[in-house]
Amino acid sequence: MVDPLICDDARALVADLTVRGQTVATAESLTAGLLAATLAGVAGASVVLRGGLITYVEGTKISLAGVPREVLDEVGPVAGPTARALAVGAQQRCEATWGVGLTGVAGPEPHGGHPVGTVFLGIAGPVETEVVELALAGSRWEIRFAAVQEAVARLRSAIEEQ
Protein backbone atom coordinates (compact mmCIF):
# COMPACT_ATOMS: atom_id res chain seq x y z
CA MET A 1 0.00 0.00 0.00
CA VAL A 2 1.62 3.24 -1.14
CA ASP A 3 0.23 6.54 0.07
CA PRO A 4 -0.08 8.91 -2.92
CA LEU A 5 0.35 11.91 -0.62
CA ILE A 6 3.77 10.68 0.48
CA CYS A 7 4.75 10.17 -3.15
CA ASP A 8 3.58 13.67 -4.16
CA ASP A 9 5.39 15.26 -1.23
CA ALA A 10 8.53 13.22 -1.94
CA ARG A 11 8.48 14.37 -5.57
CA ALA A 12 8.18 17.97 -4.39
CA LEU A 13 11.04 17.48 -1.91
CA VAL A 14 13.32 16.02 -4.57
CA ALA A 15 12.43 18.95 -6.85
CA ASP A 16 13.12 21.48 -4.06
CA LEU A 17 16.53 19.95 -3.36
CA THR A 18 17.39 19.68 -7.06
CA VAL A 19 16.59 23.34 -7.76
CA ARG A 20 18.80 24.40 -4.86
CA GLY A 21 21.63 22.01 -5.70
CA GLN A 22 21.34 20.41 -2.26
CA THR A 23 21.47 16.84 -1.02
CA VAL A 24 19.96 14.72 1.75
CA ALA A 25 20.88 11.61 3.74
CA THR A 26 18.97 9.64 6.36
CA ALA A 27 19.67 7.68 9.53
CA GLU A 28 16.56 5.66 10.32
CA SER A 29 15.63 3.47 13.23
CA LEU A 30 11.88 2.87 13.46
CA THR A 31 11.38 3.50 9.72
CA ALA A 32 14.24 1.14 8.78
CA GLY A 33 15.03 2.85 5.48
CA LEU A 34 11.46 3.69 4.48
CA LEU A 35 12.26 7.41 4.14
CA ALA A 36 15.28 6.79 1.92
CA ALA A 37 13.29 4.26 -0.12
CA THR A 38 10.45 6.75 -0.54
CA LEU A 39 12.83 9.39 -1.85
CA ALA A 40 14.61 6.85 -4.07
CA GLY A 41 11.24 6.04 -5.64
CA VAL A 42 11.17 9.50 -7.23
CA ALA A 43 12.67 9.85 -10.69
CA GLY A 44 15.77 12.02 -10.43
CA ALA A 45 16.40 11.22 -6.76
CA SER A 46 19.94 10.07 -7.56
CA VAL A 47 20.89 13.73 -7.92
CA VAL A 48 19.92 14.55 -4.32
CA LEU A 49 19.84 11.36 -2.23
CA ARG A 50 23.35 10.75 -0.86
CA GLY A 51 22.53 7.66 1.19
CA GLY A 52 20.65 6.14 4.06
CA LEU A 53 21.76 4.43 7.24
CA ILE A 54 19.52 1.84 8.85
CA THR A 55 20.30 2.04 12.54
CA TYR A 56 17.72 -0.28 14.03
CA VAL A 57 19.78 -1.26 17.07
CA GLU A 58 21.99 0.73 19.42
CA GLY A 59 25.20 -0.73 18.03
CA THR A 60 24.53 0.55 14.52
CA LYS A 61 23.43 3.93 15.84
CA ILE A 62 26.96 4.19 17.21
CA SER A 63 28.96 2.50 14.44
CA LEU A 64 27.09 3.78 11.37
CA ALA A 65 25.69 7.15 12.44
CA GLY A 66 28.22 8.10 15.11
CA VAL A 67 25.71 8.55 17.92
CA PRO A 68 27.83 8.96 21.04
CA ARG A 69 27.53 6.07 23.50
CA GLU A 70 27.03 8.69 26.23
CA VAL A 71 23.83 9.93 24.53
CA LEU A 72 22.39 6.43 24.41
CA ASP A 73 23.43 5.74 28.01
CA GLU A 74 21.88 9.00 29.24
CA VAL A 75 18.62 9.22 27.26
CA GLY A 76 18.26 5.93 25.37
CA PRO A 77 17.56 5.20 21.73
CA VAL A 78 14.14 6.90 21.66
CA ALA A 79 14.90 10.52 22.53
CA GLY A 80 15.44 13.95 21.07
CA PRO A 81 19.23 13.97 21.52
CA THR A 82 19.41 10.60 19.76
CA ALA A 83 17.39 11.90 16.79
CA ARG A 84 19.67 14.95 16.66
CA ALA A 85 22.79 12.77 16.63
CA LEU A 86 21.28 10.53 13.95
CA ALA A 87 20.53 13.53 11.73
CA VAL A 88 23.98 15.03 12.16
CA GLY A 89 25.60 11.63 11.66
CA ALA A 90 23.75 11.05 8.38
CA GLN A 91 24.61 14.55 7.19
CA GLN A 92 28.30 14.22 8.02
CA ARG A 93 28.93 10.61 7.07
CA CYS A 94 27.13 10.89 3.74
CA GLU A 95 28.44 14.41 3.06
CA ALA A 96 24.95 15.80 2.52
CA THR A 97 23.51 19.29 2.86
CA TRP A 98 20.68 17.90 5.01
CA GLY A 99 20.51 14.97 7.39
CA VAL A 100 17.34 13.41 8.73
CA GLY A 101 17.21 11.18 11.81
CA LEU A 102 14.18 9.14 12.82
CA THR A 103 13.78 7.12 16.01
CA GLY A 104 10.72 6.07 17.95
CA VAL A 105 8.25 3.39 18.94
CA ALA A 106 6.10 1.85 16.22
CA GLY A 107 4.68 -0.82 18.49
CA PRO A 108 3.01 -3.02 19.24
CA GLU A 109 4.38 -2.46 22.78
CA PRO A 110 5.76 0.64 24.53
CA HIS A 111 9.55 0.87 24.67
CA GLY A 112 11.80 2.51 27.23
CA GLY A 113 8.91 4.24 28.95
CA HIS A 114 7.63 5.74 25.68
CA PRO A 115 4.15 4.92 24.42
CA VAL A 116 3.54 3.50 20.97
CA GLY A 117 3.53 6.34 18.43
CA THR A 118 6.28 8.39 20.08
CA VAL A 119 8.65 9.53 17.34
CA PHE A 120 11.61 11.88 17.42
CA LEU A 121 12.57 13.53 14.13
CA GLY A 122 15.89 15.32 13.75
CA ILE A 123 16.72 17.55 10.80
CA ALA A 124 20.30 18.75 10.44
CA GLY A 125 20.73 21.59 7.96
CA PRO A 126 23.49 23.84 6.77
CA VAL A 127 22.88 26.29 9.62
CA GLU A 128 21.12 24.50 12.48
CA THR A 129 19.67 21.22 13.67
CA GLU A 130 16.11 20.92 14.93
CA VAL A 131 14.34 18.10 16.72
CA VAL A 132 10.60 17.53 16.89
CA GLU A 133 8.73 15.08 19.06
CA LEU A 134 5.69 13.56 17.37
CA ALA A 135 2.79 11.59 18.81
CA LEU A 136 1.46 9.43 15.97
CA ALA A 137 -1.45 7.01 16.02
CA GLY A 138 -2.31 3.84 14.19
CA SER A 139 -0.88 0.45 13.46
CA ARG A 140 2.84 -0.24 13.26
CA TRP A 141 2.81 0.43 9.49
CA GLU A 142 0.63 3.53 9.84
CA ILE A 143 3.01 5.01 12.41
CA ARG A 144 6.00 4.33 10.18
CA PHE A 145 4.30 5.85 7.10
CA ALA A 146 3.17 8.86 9.14
CA ALA A 147 6.74 9.37 10.41
CA VAL A 148 8.01 9.40 6.81
CA GLN A 149 5.28 11.82 5.77
CA GLU A 150 6.18 14.15 8.67
CA ALA A 151 9.88 13.94 7.84
CA VAL A 152 9.29 14.84 4.19
CA ALA A 153 6.94 17.73 5.05
CA ARG A 154 9.16 19.15 7.78
CA LEU A 155 12.30 18.88 5.67
CA ARG A 156 10.53 20.79 2.88
CA SER A 157 9.61 23.50 5.40
CA ALA A 158 13.17 23.69 6.73
CA ILE A 159 14.54 24.04 3.19
CA GLU A 160 12.11 26.84 2.42
CA GLU A 161 13.00 28.67 5.65
CA GLN A 162 16.76 28.67 5.09
Side-chain angles (χ1 to χ4, degrees):
M1 168 177 118
V2 176
D3 184 335
L5 182 59
I6 292 176
C7 294
D8 289 345
D9 287 348
R11 278 191 282 276
L13 174 57
V14 169
D16 290 346
L17 289 165
T18 301
V19 166
R20 290 171 172 78
Q22 296 180 340
T23 57
V24 63
T26 67
E28 303 177 62
S29 183
L30 88 147
T31 50
L34 188 57
L35 174 57
T38 298
L39 297 177
V42 175
S46 60
V47 173
V48 300
L49 180 59
R50 299 283 298 161
L53 312 171
I54 298 174
T55 58
Y56 211 66
V57 298
E58 286 190 23
T60 56
K61 285 174 179 61
I62 296 167
S63 64
L64 295 179
V67 175
R69 164 56 66 194
E70 299 77 34
V71 168
L72 294 170
D73 288 345
E74 288 175 21
V75 298
V78 179
T82 304
R84 175 182 300 278
L86 287 169
V88 170
Q91 179 189 41
Q92 292 176 348
R93 296 196 178 209
C94 294
E95 300 177 353
T97 313
W98 297 91
V100 180
L102 280 162
T103 187
V105 184
E109 300 295 324
H111 178 75
H114 297 284
V116 172
T118 302
V119 174
F120 291 92
L121 165 63
I123 298 176
V127 178
E128 63 183 5
T129 300
E130 68 174 276
V131 176
V132 180
E133 181 177 358
L134 306 168
L136 306 175
S139 69
R140 184 173 177 80
W141 275 103
E142 289 167 333
I143 290 167
R144 294 174 74 224
F145 275 114
V148 169
Q149 190 169 351
E150 285 285 338
V152 170
R154 289 178 186 261
L155 180 54
R156 285 193 71 210
S157 292
I159 291 167
E160 291 170 7
E161 291 173 6
Q162 81 165 0

